[in-house]
Amino acid sequence: MIGRDLLNIPRRRLLGRVLGRWAAVSWISKFLRVGRKRFIARIKGPERASWIAEILSYPAGRDFHHALETWARSASIPTAIPPLAAVAESLRCSVIINTVDRASDLEITLAALAREWDAARDELIVVLGPTGDDSEEIVARSPMPCRLIPCPVRNLAVSRNLGLAASSARFVAFIDDDASPSPGWLDTLLQPLEKNPKTAISAGFVLDGQGAHFLNRYVVADTLGRAFWFDDSSSAATKIAQLGSSRAFLTATGCNMAFRRSALITCGGFDPFYQYFLEETDLIRRLLDHGHRCEISPASTVLHRLGANLARTPSFDPADRAVIIRSQIHYIGKFGKATFSPAEIESCLWQRVLLDLEKIAWDCSHSPPHDSRCSELQQRYLAAVAAELRLDSLPDSSSFSHPVPT
């Protein structure tokens, strides 16, 4: 069985459950991370071919293999995103926070922003999804003037577009609800946009929640939806040269990025297909294709506390687990099929699938009674991904109307 032999973790189950309750202790967290890294190394090791063959021995696996092979060789389907409406830009910057079910994190972020806030030149917009906590009360108590925009769906791209549509400044900056800006964050982030009219994207650095080490500095993305992290600009430039500028480019991290609003309006904003993951990478690629520039602002930093999301939280719903690969399939259909070979596309998606199967096994091994359902959940995940790959064509994003703030 997949759950027993392929991607499950039979050892240390009881110990893992006990330690999982105390994962906040630093050495225990490190122990669990090391254990998972070793297991991921096994997936990437010499047994990978036999594991793939075993996956394909199941009907869901065979369906996935056929769907992946067919989709990777099919023609790319262009997508169109209609432009947003232009408005009079009366302020310097609109800072946008997109949030749902993170009231305690949001309160910390708002307090950090308030330390240097200048309401005479900037505005704050909070886009609140269908939340079940007291986020609305947190915003009402904000020490800064704040506009609250409701978002009816749990879709980050739609939420970002609502903030963009409501903005009235030359620039828009995005900071996550679980990120705290360092002193001078906004001024330094906007400097590249203010100095060079050809620059439409400014990307800052990201530290961990304690400010002890960098999570992201110079980030390079490719048209398969992969990301590569570098400590310096020369290493990032080397990577882009190796892959080629048609396949790799500098990008920004969603929790610390700013844009020239007029450029976003022309490009249509964020593609609403992306519920989560790659929505900012997709937008940046389109901006670069329109001749705009992306610059890095090392002096602009945020501390990212890494709140719970679909990638970090255990989930036993295959639909939740398939959200990320669904975004990657859509992204590759737009950009990867024109720049990478079918074999490279298949290999990339295989790696994502294997890691997702591993994540399901890891979650199950630490969450009874789900450990007994590991094989079933993995097969349901494969079936869900196969269903995505069987789409005759990628959805045309123009069918998603841009939301209007209320």
Side-chain angles (χ1 to χ4, degrees):
M1 298 292 293
I2 289 181
R4 185 191 65 208
D5 299 325
L6 180 62
L7 292 175
N8 213 335
I9 305 171
R11 295 184 301 279
R12 294 180 182 161
R13 282 193 180 181
L14 179 59
L15 179 61
R17 291 170 191 165
V18 174
L19 293 180
R21 299 178 186 273
W22 301 92
V25 180
S26 60
W27 72 268
I28 293 177
S29 296
K30 182 177 180 181
F31 176 86
L32 294 175
R33 287 197 303 270
V34 169
R36 185 171 176 199
K37 285 181 180 178
R38 287 175 178 168
F39 193 71
I40 291 174
R42 286 178 54 202
I43 290 176
K44 295 181 179 179
E47 296 180 58
R48 182 172 184 264
S50 63
W51 282 339
I52 290 174
E54 187 167 350
I55 290 175
L56 295 180
S57 70
Y58 294 90
R62 287 196 297 272
D63 290 348
F64 171 76
H65 178 72
H66 175 73
L68 172 58
E69 188 177 56
T70 302
W71 183 83
R73 285 160 175 74
S74 64
S76 176
I77 306 296
T79 58
I81 301 176
L84 290 160
V87 299
E89 299 173 347
S90 57
L91 297 169
R92 180 185 70 156
C93 185
S94 300
V95 175
I96 300 170
I97 302 175
N98 306 94
T99 185
V100 60
D101 289 336
R102 285 186 183 171
S104 58
D105 272 317
L106 178 63
E107 188 170 25
I108 295 171
T109 298
L110 291 175
L113 276 171
R115 296 187 191 118
E116 296 185 348
W117 191 254
D118 185 352
R121 61 178 181 174
D122 304 314
E123 67 174 346
L124 177 62
I125 299 172
V126 175
V127 186
L128 179 61
T131 187
D133 61 18
D134 59 346
S135 294
E136 190 167 352
E137 289 76 11
I138 295 295
V139 174
R141 298 199 304 265
S142 168
M144 303 161 288
C146 177
R147 296 170 62 193
L148 181 63
I149 307 295
C151 180
V153 292
R154 288 177 175 266
N155 181 305
L156 185 53
V158 169
S159 180
R160 292 196 192 279
N161 278 340
L162 280 167
L164 176 59
S167 66
S168 57
R170 286 183 296 143
F171 309 119
V172 291
F174 291 90
I175 185 169
D176 281 1
D177 55 6
D178 60 349
S180 297
S182 298
W185 163 72
L186 187 57
D187 290 342
T188 51
L189 184 62
L190 297 180
Q191 281 179 3
L193 301 172
E194 293 174 322
K195 289 180 178 179
N196 189 342
K198 292 185 178 180
T199 299
I201 311 131
S202 177
F205 284 6
V206 180
L207 291 151
D208 70 345
Q210 291 73 44
H213 65 273
F214 284 101
L215 300 177
N216 296 319
R217 279 186 268 194
Y218 296 88
V219 185
V220 172
D222 69 6
T223 51
L224 291 179
R226 300 175 299 186
F228 309 91
W229 295 271
F230 301 97
D231 294 336
D232 57 83
S233 59
S234 60
S235 298
T238 299
K239 183 65 176 181
I240 293 173
Q242 289 173 347
L243 288 174
S245 59
S246 65
R247 306 203 298 182
F249 52 95
L250 274 178
T251 190
T253 304
C255 66
N256 189 9
M257 59 185 185
F259 300 91
R260 189 177 304 278
R261 189 183 188 280
S262 59
L264 294 192
I265 297 304
T266 301
C267 285
F270 296 88
D271 183 343
F273 181 89
Y274 298 99
Q275 179 181 342
Y276 173 80
F277 185 59
L278 289 174
E279 82 288 341
E280 74 271 44
T281 311
D282 177 295
L283 174 61
I284 289 169
R285 178 68 193 194
R286 286 185 281 118
L287 286 167
L288 295 174
D289 288 344
H290 276 74
H292 299 291
R293 293 183 55 184
C294 175
E295 292 192 29
I296 308 300
S297 180
S300 178
T301 60
V302 301
L303 277 64
H304 197 188
R305 298 184 298 278
L306 299 177
N309 62 22
L310 290 174
R312 304 178 195 130
T313 305
S315 174
F316 304 101
D317 182 346
D320 286 346
R321 182 56 52 203
V323 164
I324 292 177
I325 194 169
R326 184 172 186 258
S327 292
Q328 191 166 3
I329 289 168
H330 183 65
Y331 178 89
I332 292 174
K334 293 176 69 173
F335 307 108
K337 285 188 175 181
T339 49
F340 280 89
S341 69
E344 290 171 310
I345 293 171
E346 285 186 70
S347 177
C348 174
L349 288 181
W350 259 122
Q351 190 64 47
R352 168 65 67 183
V353 166
L354 287 172
L355 289 176
D356 281 350
L357 291 171
E358 175 273 331
K359 181 65 166 62
I360 293 170
W362 180 266
D363 291 344
C364 287
S365 70
H366 291 83
S367 303
H370 294 290
D371 51 353
S372 62
R373 299 179 54 214
C374 180
S375 176
E376 173 199 344
L377 292 170
Q378 288 171 328
Q379 292 180 57
R380 286 172 59 194
Y381 163 79
L382 285 174
V385 176
E388 292 294 332
L389 292 168
R390 287 195 194 98
L391 294 174
D392 294 331
S393 63
L394 289 174
D396 185 344
S397 295
S398 63
S399 64
F400 296 91
S401 61
H402 282 301
V404 177
T406 55

